[in-house]
Amino acid sequence: MKKFLKRNVWLCVPLLSIFFLNFDTTGDIRVDRILKQLAVYRDSLWQQKINLHTDKDVYMAGENIWIKSYLLNASSFMPDSVSKEIYIDLIDFNNRHVQSIILRNKGGFSQGNILIKDTLAEGNYQLRAYTNWMRNFDTDFFFDKTIRVVNPNYENVVTRSRISDIERCNKKVAQMQSDYTINFFPEGGDLVAGFKSRVAFKAENGMGNGIDVTGTLYSANGEKIIDFQSSHQGMGFFTFSPQSNEKYYAKVRFNKEEKEEKANIPNVITQGISMEADPFLPDFVRIVIRSNRTVSANIASNEIILVGQARGSAFYVSKGELKDKPIEVLVPKKHFPSGIVHFTVFDNRLEPACERLVFIDNLKKQNVNALEVIKKINSDSSIYTLKLTSKNGNPVKSNLSLSVSENPSGANIYKSNILTHLLLTSDLKGKIEAPSYYFTGKDEAIINLDLVMLTHGWRRFVWKDLLTAKFPNLKYLPFQGLSIEGRVTRDFFGAPVAGTKVRLSVLSSYNDVFETKTDSKGHFLFTNLDYEDTLSVKIEAIKNSGGNPGLIKIGDTIVPQITLTNAEIRNVNYAKSKLKENGQRERLILREKYRAQNREQSKSSGRIHERPTNVIEVGPDAVNYTSVFQYMQGKVPGLTITGNSIIIRGINTITGSTDPLFLLDGVPIDPSSAASMPPSDLATIEVLKGPEASAYGSRGGNGVIAFYSRRGEFINRGEIEFDMKGYHKVAEFYVPSAGASQYKPSDYAVPRTLYWAPQVITNGQGIATVRFPNAFKNENTQLTIEGLTSDGEIIYYNAPAK
């Protein structure tokens, strides 16, 4: 595992002395503990960042989403070559994975494409990317980007059930858009009695979008303190001096509405430490720390430690005695990398007392690389020459991606890009609207960026967890590549079968065979499977002499779930005359799907009945239900569901039990296990009554309920066959002809991608040349370049492609 170099830390005693220290030890066990735990976190639980550069943000159904992936070490910003795979999912408004690919990571860079199906509804979709290693941590670390799909042909395939699906989503979105909240954030974390405090606030709706707000701060007895109003995207601040043993509240109005709502202000602490930061000085961050705690005769009891860390490394540490006078520190900006700096004040017991995020922009001072783009137009082609040099004129090597697309409106939209993601949004909790606005260099943008720092939480780690070594369990390895894991047991939820041989056969045209053995818990794992496209595989548990082969259960092959809050679907007025025809087509498709699934399940899951009495096809609405029993309620005649109990036929006169026989992929499970299953994991549910259940003998006396997972091959006895997704096979971009699409994208405000070059490498002279044919005549075009230099500097260029 990669080790990090020791870092220079600016260590100072406020008002006394300042000096540099390349430390193994600082002489203070508390400071050493902070630095040591940061190093442990950085080295053992190193973080990754992914950025996806797509050719554009709005697509017509039937087009490709062209993708260049950048995988970086979050501390050094150097390309990450440890992880072998990058998972990319296209997710709809119901959290369903409508399309997925796996890119092969090649030294931190990879490329691919997702063909948008012509059956997708119009609306917003989430493009999400992550590695296997990133699954050990919060899904907040995953890369997310919203894209929009336009599909004029959707009315020809949409069905009534799908329209109902969209209408439910639209109703939910409308509710979220009108659900207003406001939160207050005292600078440093707490309101400390007697100290003038700045309190930031953010008003937003349920979608995370900022909304205008005006309000008034009151004391508990109704005395008016101060008026306030938002200044940017629902954010703003006010300043007041909170008093001891006093409570405060605010009355607010959202979006200039007449209705006034009451909101609570955080409680005032009688004794504590406060911190304020001024990040607007040219070369320094001015930090003032105050305390109203009782001063101790013991100097050590009055000591505090100020730490400034960025990207998981401490770049500044200062220690001093905090008594009745405030401590003022000027922290040099030049010693930090560009991005978010996390300032924390620790008390003498090493408890975090205050925290403040500050954005330091050293891009102009530290990023010495300059990208020059020269365009030349011939009669049949456009030629772009890219020249990347350092400040002293030396050539710079880099790995870039380039997109040329139409820009019909000619507007400059403050959308996300590699710069905003790596330096800003990937380290903050909450939604950041129009992130590139904060990188325009405008004075108002710099001021408003500090409001973002005051109102959004730090997402990378919590100091208390870090200092007590409370780290997440590492279940997923970064270097195992494509893998299949599972477990062999004697029965469902039964004892593990240890030491048994498990064979993996890769079918299709490969006929490769791999073998391993289960561990003491019956687990097995096949790693580093290097295949492209979708392929058929078979897993067998080889029984010991005279023994039972055991029950094979395939492990976590389902990608992790997240809850989307910003993927809004537009409700289109579809042609009602076509719904009947589409509904008939839907029923035929479902019927054939069920027949095919029925044949496959009978073959692979040990199913012994011929046909069920009732069938429930599990739809996308299953995500709205917490239990499968709740989902089944009212869907089958004669089925009585009370809490976690189901009755099909009534009381069994022999055993006195009323429980039906529950099966999961053909394997019996107990009622409690059935009740706890999330319905979204299932594809179909079959209910058997009377003669249909007789195939199961006395076990089916109370009827049978058979559940089938979305891949019914997940559980089986002896052997399992299923299709496995391999690495994505990269397609090549071609310049489309003017009449390539059935619809004119410009009629639907969809820009066309004129050229896409995912692999642009500057040579030893810092130069790269891109040539493509002039297929379109359009003056409003946009050129976007993203990438990284060989030493981890971010490259972003966006300008009209003239």
Side-chain angles (χ1 to χ4, degrees):
M1 193 172 292
K2 183 176 179 180
K3 297 293 183 182
F4 289 79
L5 298 175
K6 296 176 181 177
R7 295 187 177 270
N8 286 328
V9 172
W10 188 268
L11 182 71
C12 74
V13 180
L15 310 179
L16 293 180
S17 62
I18 298 176
F19 59 92
F20 273 117
L21 178 67
N22 190 318
F23 62 89
D24 286 311
T25 178
T26 66
D28 187 301
I29 59 174
R30 293 166 300 179
V31 174
D32 288 345
R33 183 179 171 192
I34 293 172
L35 301 178
K36 178 183 177 182
Q37 289 304 105
L38 269 175
V40 170
Y41 180 83
R42 188 178 62 241
D43 293 354
S44 302
L45 301 170
W46 89 96
Q47 303 285 291
Q48 296 173 320
K49 290 188 179 185
I50 292 179
N51 182 76
L52 297 187
H53 180 195
T54 59
D55 58 312
K56 55 183 180 177
D57 298 324
V58 183
Y59 297 85
M60 294 285 286
E63 285 189 308
N64 275 296
I65 305 172
W66 297 99
I67 299 168
K68 171 69 174 287
S69 173
Y70 296 87
L71 176 62
L72 317 179
N73 181 291
S75 293
S76 64
F77 277 22
M78 294 297 289
D80 186 301
S81 59
V82 180
S83 290
K84 295 184 177 181
E85 75 301 313
I86 296 173
Y87 297 91
I88 300 180
D89 304 321
L90 187 63
I91 305 170
D92 72 2
F93 60 92
N94 267 329
N95 291 335
R96 294 181 305 182
H97 299 77
V98 295
Q99 288 170 264
S100 299
I101 60 174
I102 307 173
L103 299 185
R104 190 195 306 271
N105 180 38
K106 298 180 179 179
F109 308 97
S110 55
Q111 56 184 294
N113 62 288
I114 296 178
L115 178 62
I116 301 173
K117 297 178 180 178
D118 58 9
T119 55
L120 284 189
E122 291 194 3
N124 287 356
Y125 291 80
Q126 204 78 358
L127 197 62
R128 183 176 63 166
Y130 55 95
T131 67
N132 206 43
W133 176 252
M134 292 172 73
R135 295 176 66 185
N136 291 304
F137 311 100
D138 197 309
T139 55
D140 279 345
F141 297 139
F142 292 3
F143 173 89
D144 285 300
K145 178 178 183 176
T146 300
I147 66 164
R148 184 156 190 85
V149 174
V150 176
N151 189 354
N153 189 51
Y154 189 61
E155 66 176 27
N156 295 320
V157 295
V158 69
T159 60
R160 289 187 185 276
S161 61
R162 188 60 171 167
I163 287 181
S164 298
D165 214 14
I166 293 173
E167 288 177 343
R168 277 194 301 270
C169 176
N170 285 340
K171 184 178 180 180
K172 182 179 179 181
V173 167
Q175 292 173 344
M176 295 174 71
Q177 287 178 329
S178 59
D179 182 16
Y180 302 148
T181 59
I182 185 170
N183 292 291
F184 297 90
F185 307 90
E187 185 174 16
D190 291 311
L191 289 173
V192 181
F195 292 145
K196 195 171 185 179
S197 302
R198 178 161 53 166
V199 180
F201 58 86
K202 182 177 183 182
E204 60 185 5
N205 61 21
M207 303 290 289
N209 298 320
I211 55 175
D212 292 335
V213 65
T214 59
T216 303
L217 177 69
Y218 295 93
S219 64
N221 61 9
E223 179 186 357
K224 179 180 176 180
I225 307 297
I226 192 173
D227 293 322
F228 60 86
Q229 66 179 19
S230 58
S231 58
H232 176 71
Q233 293 183 345
M235 296 179 290
F237 74 90
F238 56 85
T239 303
F240 82 113
S241 297
Q243 302 303 308
S244 180
N245 299 319
E246 182 67 272
K247 291 184 178 296
Y248 299 90
Y249 67 92
K251 289 184 178 180
V252 299
R253 288 187 176 91
F254 299 109
N255 281 340
K256 299 181 181 180
E257 293 182 351
E258 291 298 324
K259 182 182 177 181
E260 198 171 54
E261 298 186 24
K262 184 178 179 180
N264 292 323
I265 303 295
N267 291 331
V268 180
I269 61 174
T270 303
Q271 289 190 332
I273 300 174
S274 73
M275 173 175 64
E276 64 178 80
D278 177 6
F280 303 118
L281 300 177
D283 299 315
F284 298 92
V285 176
R286 176 178 174 267
I287 294 179
V288 179
I289 305 167
R290 297 181 175 89
S291 172
N292 62 3
R293 301 178 305 172
T294 302
V295 177
S296 173
N298 183 355
I299 294 178
S301 298
N302 301 323
E303 286 183 336
I304 61 166
I305 298 170
L306 174 64
V307 176
Q309 71 86 19
R311 304 184 188 178
S313 296
F315 290 88
Y316 176 88
V317 178
S318 67
K319 185 179 71 172
E321 187 180 1
L322 181 60
K323 297 192 291 186
D324 52 350
K325 292 184 179 180
I327 290 179
E328 179 177 329
V329 182
L330 293 177
V331 181
K333 292 182 177 181
K334 64 181 181 180
H335 298 302
F336 293 91
S338 293
I340 296 174
V341 178
H342 190 191
F343 285 105
T344 306
V345 175
F346 295 88
D347 64 19
N348 63 300
R349 295 172 298 177
L350 214 58
E351 291 287 336
C354 304
E355 290 190 322
R356 173 71 151 88
L357 301 184
V358 171
F359 191 89
I360 291 182
D361 185 0
N362 284 325
L363 291 173
K364 294 181 180 179
K365 298 178 181 178
Q366 294 181 344
N367 188 352
V368 295
N369 301 312
L371 177 63
E372 181 183 6
V373 179
I374 303 171
K375 181 181 179 182
K376 180 180 179 182
I377 300 178
N378 293 333
S379 58
D380 62 343
S381 62
S382 295
I383 304 171
Y384 288 95
T385 301
L386 280 55
K387 187 175 182 180
L388 188 61
T389 57
S390 63
K391 191 174 183 179
N392 57 13
N394 292 329
V396 177
K397 293 183 178 180
S398 63
N399 190 318
L400 311 171
S401 48
L402 177 149
S403 172
V404 180
S405 63
E406 292 178 316
N407 186 21
S409 64
N412 182 21
I413 302 174
Y414 296 127
K415 60 184 181 180
S416 62
N417 54 60
I418 189 172
L419 197 64
T420 65
H421 177 68
L422 296 181
L423 297 185
L424 181 63
T425 58
S426 60
D427 286 329
L428 293 178
K429 289 185 177 180
K431 184 177 181 179
I432 311 296
E433 300 176 76
S436 60
Y437 157 77
Y438 300 107
F439 291 79
T440 59
K442 299 177 181 178
D443 290 343
E444 64 173 25
I446 296 172
I447 293 172
N448 290 330
L449 179 56
D450 196 50
L451 285 178
V452 174
M453 297 297 104
L454 287 164
T455 57
H456 289 74
W458 172 255
R459 70 163 55 165
R460 286 286 159 181
F461 62 79
V462 177
W463 274 114
K464 288 184 178 180
D465 292 343
L466 186 80
L467 295 177
T468 57
K470 186 180 178 182
F471 297 140
N473 294 325
L474 300 180
K475 180 181 178 182
Y476 304 101
L477 300 177
F479 45 76
Q480 63 188 39
L482 298 183
S483 61
I484 299 176
E485 62 175 314
R487 191 166 182 247
V488 180
T489 62
R490 302 192 187 281
D491 208 339
F492 197 83
F493 294 135
V497 179
T500 192
K501 185 185 295 184
V502 181
R503 178 181 298 145
L504 167 65
S505 300
V506 181
L507 307 177
S508 302
S509 59
Y510 295 98
N511 295 319
D512 294 335
V513 177
F514 307 91
E515 288 188 353
T516 188
K517 285 188 176 183
T518 58
D519 62 17
S520 60
K521 296 181 180 179
H523 290 114
F524 64 85
L525 175 65
F526 294 97
T527 62
N528 294 313
L529 303 174
D530 193 355
Y531 298 95
E532 289 186 339
D533 291 337
T534 300
L535 59 152
S536 298
V537 298
K538 179 171 69 173
I539 294 180
E540 302 168 87
I542 311 300
K543 67 180 181 180
N544 297 324
S545 179
N548 191 305
L551 187 73
I552 304 175
K553 181 180 181 182
I554 299 300
D556 183 13
T557 57
I558 301 296
V559 291
Q561 295 285 327
I562 58 171
T563 300
L564 303 180
T565 58
N566 60 343
E568 179 184 353
I569 293 294
R570 185 176 64 202
N571 190 6
V572 179
N573 294 320
Y574 300 112
K576 304 296 182 182
S577 60
K578 297 182 180 180
L579 286 180
K580 183 177 181 180
E581 175 187 341
N582 295 343
Q584 291 172 343
R585 184 186 303 115
E586 180 184 42
R587 287 190 291 274
L588 290 173
I589 292 172
L590 287 176
R591 189 179 303 165
E592 179 53 36
K593 175 184 174 183
Y594 174 72
R595 287 174 178 170
Q597 189 179 61
N598 187 44
R599 292 191 294 268
E600 187 62 28
Q601 288 171 347
S602 296
K603 172 184 174 183
S604 65
S605 65
R607 179 188 193 181
I608 60 176
H609 61 271
E610 292 186 1
R611 61 182 180 183
T613 310
N614 301 93
V615 177
I616 302 174
E617 292 284 346
V618 180
D621 60 328
V623 297
N624 301 319
Y625 295 84
T626 57
S627 75
V628 68
F629 287 1
Q630 182 188 26
Y631 183 77
M632 295 172 65
Q633 186 83 45
K635 290 184 170 64
V636 177
L639 199 68
T640 303
I641 301 177
T642 306
N644 289 335
S645 174
I646 292 183
I647 299 176
I648 297 179
R649 295 183 58 193
I651 297 177
N652 185 302
T653 57
I654 298 177
T655 65
S657 171
T658 61
D659 290 329
L661 171 65
F662 293 101
L663 303 171
L664 175 59
D665 293 333
V667 179
I669 60 174
D670 58 70
S672 62
S673 299
S676 64
M677 285 191 304
S680 56
D681 287 349
L682 302 175
T684 56
I685 303 170
E686 296 181 347
V687 179
L688 288 72
K689 308 174 185 177
E692 286 83 4
S694 61
Y696 295 89
S698 60
R699 295 187 304 164
N702 291 328
V704 179
I705 298 180
F707 303 104
Y708 296 95
S709 62
R710 291 203 172 274
R711 286 170 57 183
E713 307 89 348
F714 271 176
I715 304 173
N716 198 18
R717 190 173 298 281
E719 68 177 46
I720 296 177
E721 288 189 27
F722 58 94
D723 290 337
M724 170 188 168
K725 185 181 290 291
Y727 287 114
H728 174 68
K729 193 171 184 178
V730 181
E732 288 190 17
F733 177 85
Y734 67 94
V735 178
S737 63
S741 176
Q742 177 184 357
Y743 303 94
K744 291 184 178 180
S746 57
D747 292 343
Y748 298 90
V750 178
R752 287 174 292 190
T753 298
L754 309 183
Y755 193 68
W756 169 250
Q759 194 76 352
V760 179
I761 310 296
T762 55
N763 59 21
Q765 287 74 46
I767 296 175
T769 302
V770 177
R771 178 193 299 264
F772 62 94
N774 291 325
F776 302 98
K777 292 183 179 180
N778 192 328
E779 293 184 358
N780 292 325
T781 56
Q782 201 75 12
L783 171 65
T784 303
I785 300 172
E786 296 189 0
L788 293 168
T789 67
S790 57
D791 56 358
E793 292 288 346
I794 303 170
I795 300 298
Y796 177 69
Y797 179 94
N798 182 258
K802 295 182 179 180

